[in-house]
Amino acid sequence: DEPDRLLPGLSNVPAAWFKQLREYHATTRREMITKAIEIGIAVRLVREGQTLDFVPDRLEEGRDIWTVSGKLRSENGAEAVRLTPDMWSGMQLCIPDRVSFS
């Protein structure tokens, strides 16, 4: 399987997470962020009405809420940020261009 060879663990990710930009429950958001970190892929987020790509690098569990640190890409470049799950609405995992599911 080419996708799994290029990005190990990709075959264990629900296809819906790649297919459509949509809202998810906070638990699913955490699972998606965790998987993106494990595989090393970006996440497309809807934040303040804009669709942006986010490259997560660390998830931190707090007492009442979790946060994720990474780089948020925009027209102005990349910015290091820390986000809580309530800071975005829709999300989708991004498949790198070199991975094909044909």
Side-chain angles (χ1 to χ4, degrees):
D1 293 344
E2 182 185 351
D4 234 13
R5 185 175 51 79
L6 294 172
L7 293 169
L10 196 61
S11 64
N12 297 328
V13 177
W17 292 2
F18 294 106
K19 288 186 178 184
Q20 177 179 11
L21 186 64
R22 56 171 243 163
E23 292 191 32
Y24 290 93
H25 184 272
T27 303
T28 305
R29 290 178 188 212
R30 182 174 54 233
E31 290 177 40
M32 291 174 76
I33 292 291
T34 299
K35 190 53 82 171
I37 292 168
E38 288 174 7
I39 297 173
I41 59 176
V43 180
R44 186 154 292 132
L45 303 176
V46 176
R47 185 166 187 249
E48 299 173 357
Q50 290 186 305
T51 302
L52 304 165
D53 287 345
F54 175 66
V55 181
D57 61 23
R58 191 170 81 210
L59 183 103
E60 296 177 24
E61 296 285 343
R63 184 177 276 185
D64 297 321
I65 196 160
W66 56 272
T67 62
V68 59
S69 301
K71 299 270 187 191
L72 194 59
R73 293 189 218 149
S74 69
E75 298 167 351
N76 303 329
E79 168 188 7
V81 296
R82 176 178 281 165
L83 303 173
T84 58
D86 62 338
M87 295 175 81
W88 71 86
S89 53
M91 67 186 296
Q92 169 186 27
L93 296 183
C94 299
I95 298 174
D97 291 339
R98 69 179 190 274
V99 176
S100 169
F101 285 95
S102 56

